[in-house]
Amino acid sequence: MAKFTELIDELLSYGLKNNLFDEEDLYLCLNKLLMTLKEDSYDGIFDSFDGNIKENIRPIHEILTDMCDIAVKEGIIETDSVTFRDIFDTCLMGDILSSPALINNKFKALYEKSPKEATDYFYKLSCDNNYIRRDRIAKDRRWTVDTEYGVLDITINLSKPEKDPKAIAMAKKNTAFVYPKCQLCIENEGYMGRADHPARRNHRVMRIDINGEKWGFQYSPYVYYNEHCIVFNTKHVPMKIDKSAFVKLFDFVRQFPHYFVGSNADLPIVGGSILAHEHFQGGHFEFAMERAGIKKEISFKGYDNVKAGIVKWPMSVIRLTSPDVEALTELSDKILTTWREYTDEAAFIYAYTDDEPHNTITPIVRRRGEDFEIDLVLRNNITTEQNPLGVYHPHAEFHHIKKENIGLIEVMGLAVLPARLKNEMEEVKKCLINGSDMRANEATCSHADWGEEILKKYPEINESNADEIIEKEVGLVFNEVLKCAGVYKDTKEGENAMLRFVDFVNQK
């Protein structure tokens, strides 16, 4: 029996069981696998298929791990590292996955019955084909923390692979690659992958129409929240928040009313990590900001059919609700264009320094019953000598927990924290319980001031309650980080300054 035969049988059985390919494509898939595995013979259960598949099929990551182990021993995988194992096992999954056309046709047929049925199908497929690596996602640490602004969601992301030293070294030798242009481009669908670009042989994109343009719909492989999707322009064009962006956001939730959708801001520091490609993020999840109520009702002249208010949230959010999408679009655009040019020195809001623009908006759109709703989060990316990374950015005293930009996901109340914190929090726990000097430990020295405050607050900390205390305090730091990112603080003075902006909009 050939060395891969039993594993091929198990993988093909897995594919048939989970509808990754049609039975009519069985031998095409088998022969593609043989080519990838450099096998020229096969004598397994599909040699003369009678409709019976292998029983007791294991989780997909276990099957693929065994196949990669053999491929390493046989020299098929030349460099044994996470990156090159991922490239290889993704190729195997691509070999047993239906074409984009067939999957899109199934998606469209289900959409005619129900948008939710269509997304349920596509999300399950994206998990079953190992594009979403469920075994890695399960390693993420997740918890919630009660705060003055409601229950915030906290996650330490462990599913996104760390930078692979072997892959980094190889990538430095390959400086000429310009394809795909970025990780969001439609050309990633089915792409083999390389040392500096993730493998996407098992990646499928649903084609949708957004405001008359061709867009793609896919899921994030890292799933920061339930059904975390990415919607992107099939053209490689830069992010831009303008009236057309609002039109597109509303069009998406019109087509998929069970999902929210939002966009990162379009300026550095307050924007996302990929500003070069127009895209939105959405999903089937209720964030803390969505649950937050209105602390101050406001109104805008000429928009009597739009309910408006300032949200009780650490960041500066104007919420607009109405069944009239056109009115919401027009008013959102008016607020945005006014904010772009708005300066209030008393509140340290500057539209420009020299010719550099600072004001933008992070918009989030959802349905509330028959109404449409948009949250407009006011952003400003100005820097100073005291805050070189941004005045409205996590301040230095919180960098030990969160230094990265506050993007769309964090804005809504979900902290995506770096993987380093898993081990660092374990070391902090040991120091707090044992009374060790945090400043003498490289893993805890950046947390020393914070740790001293925890000890003052919880002198009774011990082995049984330390994890709960540390998780709570991490969440409270994230709460403070969100306050840093708010251009108007949640104070009477901040509210009055925000109302000055609302008055200014009404004067336009």
Side-chain angles (χ1 to χ4, degrees):
M1 181 178 286
K3 51 188 170 291
F4 284 107
T5 298
E6 289 188 4
L7 290 168
I8 290 173
D9 288 348
E10 190 172 14
L11 183 58
L12 288 171
S13 295
Y14 174 91
L16 284 169
K17 180 181 177 182
N18 289 285
N19 301 308
L20 298 186
F21 61 92
D22 294 331
E23 190 176 312
E24 291 84 353
D25 290 330
L26 171 62
Y27 293 107
L28 173 64
C29 293
L30 170 58
N31 288 322
K32 287 196 291 184
L33 284 174
L34 293 175
M35 182 171 64
T36 299
L37 296 168
K38 302 187 185 304
E39 293 278 86
D40 55 12
S41 64
Y42 170 80
D43 56 356
I45 63 173
F46 296 105
D47 192 19
S48 180
F49 185 50
D50 60 2
N52 294 315
I53 64 174
K54 189 177 178 71
E55 296 181 354
N56 302 317
I57 304 168
R58 294 175 296 162
I60 188 60
H61 70 276
E62 294 182 16
I63 303 171
L64 294 173
T65 295
D66 286 353
M67 297 182 89
C68 284
D69 287 344
I70 296 174
V72 169
K73 290 178 184 177
E74 296 296 321
I76 300 170
I77 299 177
E78 296 181 0
T79 304
D80 188 11
S81 71
V82 172
T83 296
F84 294 99
R85 280 174 172 258
D86 281 0
I87 288 174
F88 185 74
D89 72 19
T90 300
C91 188
L92 295 174
M93 293 308 297
D95 287 343
I96 65 165
L97 185 60
S98 291
S99 71
L102 286 173
I103 294 171
N104 268 273
N105 287 340
K106 179 72 176 292
F107 181 85
K108 290 172 184 174
L110 289 170
Y111 182 88
E112 292 302 315
K113 298 178 183 177
S114 158
K116 187 176 184 303
E117 279 193 47
T119 57
D120 285 350
Y121 156 74
F122 185 42
Y123 185 70
K124 183 179 184 300
L125 178 81
S126 299
C127 292
D128 290 341
N129 72 8
N130 210 41
Y131 173 71
I132 296 172
R133 294 176 181 261
R134 286 176 286 200
D135 60 310
R136 293 181 182 173
I137 301 297
K139 297 176 183 177
D140 289 348
R141 285 188 59 182
R142 301 174 188 272
W143 67 94
T144 58
V145 175
D146 288 327
T147 74
E148 62 198 290
Y149 297 102
V151 178
L152 300 182
D153 295 282
I154 314 295
T155 178
I156 296 178
N157 178 249
L158 303 171
S159 56
K160 193 171 186 178
E162 297 287 337
K163 296 292 185 181
D164 184 333
K166 293 180 182 178
I168 292 171
M170 293 186 69
K172 287 180 179 178
K173 300 176 184 177
N174 302 321
T175 57
F177 289 114
V178 293
Y179 178 90
K181 293 186 178 69
C182 77
Q183 291 186 27
L184 289 178
C185 285
I186 190 73
E187 291 85 357
N188 282 279
E189 186 176 49
Y191 185 64
M192 174 69 76
R194 57 179 190 264
D196 61 345
H197 196 99
R200 292 291 183 254
R201 278 289 303 277
N202 59 345
H203 177 40
R204 295 294 181 263
V205 177
M206 299 302 98
R207 274 58 171 181
I208 60 175
D209 182 283
I210 299 291
N211 192 36
E213 296 179 351
K214 293 180 179 179
W215 279 54
F217 172 90
Q218 67 181 59
Y219 288 103
S220 166
Y222 309 117
V223 195
Y224 293 139
Y225 51 85
N226 187 49
E227 296 179 44
H228 178 183
C229 70
I230 300 171
V231 193
F232 62 96
N233 197 321
T234 55
K235 295 180 180 177
H236 185 75
V237 294
M239 295 274 291
K240 187 176 183 181
I241 303 299
D242 57 11
K243 185 177 181 179
S244 71
F246 299 137
V247 171
K248 294 166 190 173
L249 291 167
F250 283 118
D251 192 24
F252 179 82
V253 297
R254 179 187 59 77
Q255 296 182 57
F256 299 93
H258 58 300
Y259 275 12
F260 82 90
V261 69
S263 175
N264 269 303
D266 55 356
L267 292 179
I269 298 177
V270 296
S273 58
I274 304 179
L275 296 178
H277 196 129
E278 184 182 22
H279 70 284
F280 307 141
Q281 295 182 74
H284 198 190
F285 188 75
E286 183 182 70
F287 289 86
M289 191 173 81
E290 180 180 347
R291 295 189 295 268
I294 299 296
K295 71 174 182 179
K296 179 75 173 179
E297 291 186 0
I298 55 178
S299 61
F300 292 95
K301 283 195 307 183
Y303 296 92
D304 295 337
N305 60 341
V306 176
K307 184 179 178 181
I310 298 172
V311 179
K312 175 65 177 175
W313 192 244
M315 298 184 68
S316 309
V317 186
I318 295 174
R319 177 170 293 165
L320 308 175
T321 308
S322 176
D324 187 342
V325 169
E326 186 175 348
L328 288 171
T329 303
E330 294 293 335
L331 180 52
S332 296
D333 182 52
K334 182 177 182 180
I335 292 170
L336 170 66
T337 54
T338 305
W339 177 246
R340 291 276 195 197
E341 305 296 321
Y342 184 73
T343 292
D344 182 351
E345 294 184 7
F348 205 77
I349 304 295
Y350 293 89
Y352 299 90
T353 52
D354 297 325
D355 293 324
E356 181 184 355
H358 296 302
N359 290 347
T360 185
I361 276 176
T362 299
I364 301 103
V365 173
R366 65 184 73 90
R367 297 293 297 268
R368 275 208 201 264
E370 295 301 311
D371 287 339
F372 291 81
E373 184 170 273
I374 183 167
D375 285 345
L376 302 171
V377 188
L378 306 179
R379 311 299 301 275
N380 180 288
N381 74 347
I382 195 168
T383 60
T384 62
E385 289 185 10
Q386 294 76 20
N387 294 290
L389 297 180
V391 172
Y392 306 109
H393 179 86
H395 289 179
E397 63 264 34
F398 305 122
H399 287 179
H400 65 107
I401 298 294
K402 178 71 174 175
K403 184 179 181 178
E404 298 78 16
N405 293 352
I406 301 302
L408 171 68
I409 296 171
E410 287 89 0
V411 164
M412 296 184 290
L414 191 160
V416 181
L417 302 179
R420 65 175 172 82
L421 285 180
K422 179 179 182 291
N423 292 330
E424 290 178 10
M425 291 304 99
E426 284 298 319
E427 293 300 314
V428 166
K429 174 184 172 181
K430 293 176 186 176
C431 290
L432 291 174
I433 293 172
N434 301 329
S436 307
D437 182 6
M438 286 194 195
R439 300 181 196 281
N441 185 332
E442 184 178 351
T444 59
C445 59
S446 67
H447 302 289
D449 291 343
W450 178 62
E452 290 171 1
E453 292 301 314
I454 291 176
L455 281 175
K456 291 177 185 176
K457 194 172 178 181
Y458 307 95
E460 77 289 355
I461 191 168
N462 56 54
E463 184 72 38
S464 65
N465 63 17
D467 287 331
E468 182 181 354
I469 288 171
I470 290 171
E471 287 184 351
K472 177 181 178 181
E473 291 301 313
V474 168
L476 293 179
V477 168
F478 178 58
N479 190 57
E480 293 302 314
V481 161
L482 291 180
K483 291 180 182 179
C484 292
V487 295
Y488 296 113
K489 306 310 175 188
D490 186 19
T491 62
K492 191 62 181 175
E493 181 182 12
E495 182 180 304
N496 288 338
M498 194 167 178
L499 289 173
R500 288 200 297 273
F501 169 66
V502 172
D503 288 342
F504 192 76
V505 174
N506 278 321
Q507 292 169 21
K508 292 291 183 178

